[in-house]
Amino acid sequence: MEKRTIKGAAGDSLVITGEKIENLNKYLPENNVFIITDKNIYSTYKKKFPKFPVFAVPPGEKSKSTTTTAKICSWLLENNADRSSFILGIGGGVVCDIAGFVASTFMRGVKFGFVATSLLAQVDASVGGKNGINLKGYKNIIGTFNQPKFVICDTSLLKTLPKEEYYNGFAEIIKHALISDYNKFCLIEKNVDDLRKGDTDLLGNLVKKSVNIKSDIVEADEFEGGIRKKLNLGHTWGHAVEKVAKIPHGKAVSIGLVFAGRLSVKKGLLKEEELERIITILQKLELPVIANFDPKLILKTIIKDKKKQGDHIDFILMNGIGDVVIEKILVSDIKKMV
């Protein structure tokens, strides 16, 4: 078990990798706790849930909506929740976003924590204090920065993940390696076959490395005024692909990483052979590297991206494997590149 504390402006967030869901109660208040989860997770793990009221949303991105969050807030009111209540999100990235957003806005904010049950949530969505919901298909366009009191990453829960969800998480793991850890990238590259088989020790090691990479960046720039933007590698193009193609987040990020890689090659920052290594590792982990959709539709979505400022957008480019740079690129220039 490994613990990592993220020091935030409003308080610390404890991320625990290797803790078990069975030990959850020692991190919770004795009462006044409300659980948000999804119906699949509840069906699979309800016997392991602590004995508190539960609101289970339908699984999937469609639940990240104002309609769902309003229903949850009404449920909280009906169950006499107040400003001393604690909200616990048990689930993947969608549940973490919903629970964090509700907790950050209900009665102007109550304390909350997560048990991350998917690989994507453990290495990314649950860590760092970003909580958001979608609007008209645009990802996380309504949201907050607010740190959970704790995040529990129980890697044993990953054994029940559907194959597609398991591979989705690797897009974010590879992203973290591309941002700041060349050795981690090589470790993944050398052990792809073991990862495909679900090697638990190797997986636990990679989760810890991702948590530490993201925690370091978040602690240095909690509200994304500077270097935290690096965590958006692959996400500008990826989020647009996700909206247009209606594919899972991890797959969209994989496509976004390759687009960022091709752009980096054009800018003279990344070598062709490095891009080929990235493409190869993504494909071996059953992640797509190209979107078969009209680029004009994707560009139309990018124009509404929350990272756009005026006529330009902060794009994250790869300065080799293991390093990235933030570059302001005109939207008109991006149009020329696709």
Side-chain angles (χ1 to χ4, degrees), residues 42 74 114 117 120 149 160-161 184 187-188 261 272 284:
Y42 188 58
S74 295
F114 298 139
T117 62
L120 194 150
K149 297 301 292 181
T160 60
L161 274 183
K184 181 184 177 183
L187 179 67
I188 299 168
E272 276 286 356
K284 284 184 176 180

Side-chain angles (χ1 to χ4, degrees), residues 172-189 213 217 227 230-231 233 257 260-261 264 269-271 273-275 277-278 281 316-326:
E172 295 288 356
I173 288 176
I174 292 167
K175 179 197 79 174
H176 291 138
L178 292 172
I179 288 171
S180 68
D181 195 339
Y182 177 77
N183 290 333
K184 181 184 177 183
F185 183 87
C186 294
L187 179 67
I188 299 168
E189 202 171 37
I213 289 168
I217 293 173
I227 67 166
K230 292 181 178 182
L231 292 170
L233 175 65
L257 290 174
S264 301
L269 297 169
L270 187 71
K271 297 176 182 177
E273 54 266 35
E274 290 176 312
L275 177 59
R277 287 175 69 188
I278 295 166
I281 202 170
I316 315 305
L317 302 178
M318 301 175 210
N319 189 23
I321 293 174
D323 187 29
V324 292
V325 293
I326 304 166

